[in-house]
């Protein structure tokens, strides 16, 4: 039970456990309100793109989900490094939560990109450098989860996952910068400029679009992603307590 009691986000009924639970509920409520506001701004406040029409509105979710995944995978790096330093299971729980949340957000990024591509490029998928790197990033973390579950020894599993999670961030960074360094990508650079010329699907952003994008980015990166990670850690702590109780029961 040590790993569960010591973890800062544990749901264990300790002296301050109720306070943490109330904090989590409050943070979750604020997050839900902000996410609803983001959707409203994307649908009704942001101006319509002249070239792409309403389909461009999906980009607020598309871009924000990627940056949310970046935050989640960065948490995995922190958790992995700290676990290798301290061998404390709480950091492995953080790393695992980061991967699971980041993988879901990376999938949302891919799915919304495909939905946008169909009316703009007349195809659901093309092997553009940015799209390919995003797919490789997603599959890299799916492999993390599969390989992790294939190791029986808890200590070996945590060490392997920590090293893998730290190294895998390279795929995220590469996906983030590829449209800045590859002149042959047709993926538009919504933030900043791209070296590609004649790329279809690019657009100029009005002030309302910029405001909506920034607000959505901040919400997904610093509210939605941390809230999901927090809930996942809480679930992991509960699972650890259940397994501990099960082990004690079987040993009787």
């Amino acid at each position: 039970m040590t790993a569960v009691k010591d973890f800062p986000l544990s749901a264990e009924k300790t002296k301050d456990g109720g306070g943490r639970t109330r904090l989590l509920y409050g943070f979750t409520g604020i997050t839900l309100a902000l996410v609803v506001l983001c959707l409203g701004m994307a649908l009704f406040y942001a101006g319509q793109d002249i070239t792409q029409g309403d389909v461009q509105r999906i980009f607020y979710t598309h871009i924000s989900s990627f940056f949310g995944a970046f935050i989640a995978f960065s948490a995995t790096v922190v958790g992995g490094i700290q676990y290798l330093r301290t061998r404390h299971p709480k950091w492995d729980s953080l790393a695992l939560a980061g991967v699971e949340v980041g993988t879901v957000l990376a999938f949302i990024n891919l799915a919304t990109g495909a939905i946008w591509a169909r009316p703009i490029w007349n195809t659901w998928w093309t092997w553009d450098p940015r799209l390919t790197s995003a797919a490789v990033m997603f599959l890299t973390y799916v492999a993390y989860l599969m390989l992790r579950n294939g190791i029986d020894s808890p200590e070996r599993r945590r060490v392997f996952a920590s090293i893998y999670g730290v190294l895998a961030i390279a795929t995220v960074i590469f996906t983030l910068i590829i449209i800045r360094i590859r002149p042959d990508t047709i993926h538009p650079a919504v933030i900043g400029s791209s070296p590609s010329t004649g790329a279809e699907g690019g657009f100029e952003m009005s002030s309302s679009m910029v405001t909506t994008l920034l607000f959505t980015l901040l919400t997904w990166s610093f509210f939605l992603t941390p809230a999901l990670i927090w809930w996942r850690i809480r679930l992991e702590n509960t699972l650890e307590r259940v397994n501990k109780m099960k082990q004690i029961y079987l040993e009787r």
Side-chain angles (χ1 to χ4, degrees):
M1 297 291 288
T2 302
V4 178
K5 291 180 179 178
D6 290 347
F7 203 97
L9 304 183
S10 173
E12 186 77 13
K13 298 298 184 181
T14 57
K15 183 177 180 180
D16 60 346
R20 289 172 184 157
T21 298
R22 289 191 294 272
L23 180 61
L24 173 58
Y25 288 163
F27 186 72
T28 301
I30 294 173
T31 298
L32 291 175
L34 290 175
V35 169
V36 171
L37 182 57
C38 286
L39 292 175
M41 292 178 67
L43 292 174
F44 305 110
Y45 172 71
Q48 184 185 70
D49 183 71
I50 298 176
T51 303
Q52 301 183 38
D54 285 332
V55 71
Q56 179 271 337
R57 298 181 188 277
I58 202 171
F59 252 73
Y60 301 111
T61 298
H62 175 68
I63 297 169
S64 299
S65 60
F66 175 82
F67 280 92
F70 177 80
I71 296 295
F73 293 143
S74 297
T76 296
V77 174
V78 173
I81 292 174
Q82 286 297 101
Y83 178 78
L84 293 174
R85 287 183 62 252
T86 65
R87 291 297 195 269
H88 201 302
K90 69 177 184 179
W91 296 112
D92 179 65
S93 297
L94 173 62
L96 175 60
V99 170
E100 292 188 352
V101 171
T103 301
V104 172
L105 295 176
F107 176 78
I108 293 174
N109 176 256
L110 287 173
T112 52
I115 294 172
W116 171 85
R118 184 65 180 86
I120 300 301
W121 293 340
N122 197 32
T123 181
W124 293 101
W125 184 264
T126 181
W127 293 105
D128 176 76
R130 174 60 180 268
L131 302 185
T132 303
S133 65
V136 170
M137 179 190 75
F138 171 72
L139 294 175
T140 297
Y141 285 98
V142 170
Y144 168 101
L145 296 173
M146 295 176 62
L147 294 172
R148 179 188 176 98
N149 291 332
I151 302 175
D152 294 329
S153 170
E155 178 63 23
R156 288 182 56 200
R157 179 171 61 246
R158 290 165 180 159
V159 171
F160 167 81
S162 297
I163 297 173
Y164 190 119
V166 171
L167 296 178
I169 195 67
T171 64
V172 184
I173 297 174
F174 185 72
T175 301
L176 183 64
I177 67 174
I178 192 170
I179 58 176
R180 304 289 190 268
I181 61 178
R182 285 292 297 266
D184 56 336
T185 180
I186 60 175
H187 191 286
V190 181
I191 302 176
S193 60
S194 170
S196 61
T197 56
E200 299 179 4
F203 51 89
E204 297 293 332
M205 301 187 71
S206 65
S207 59
S208 63
M209 296 166 73
V210 171
T211 300
T212 301
L213 177 60
L214 291 177
F215 185 82
T216 307
L217 280 173
L218 291 174
T219 297
W220 281 65
S221 298
F222 301 111
F223 286 89
L224 181 59
T225 300
L228 292 174
I229 291 176
W230 195 342
W231 277 106
R232 181 60 185 89
I233 292 174
R234 182 185 174 96
L235 175 61
E236 186 68 17
N237 290 334
T238 301
L239 291 174
E240 286 190 22
R241 290 197 301 274
V242 170
N243 290 333
K244 197 72 170 180
M245 294 170 62
K246 185 186 299 183
Q247 182 180 353
I248 294 174
Y249 177 78
L250 293 175
E251 289 175 353
R252 287 182 177 178

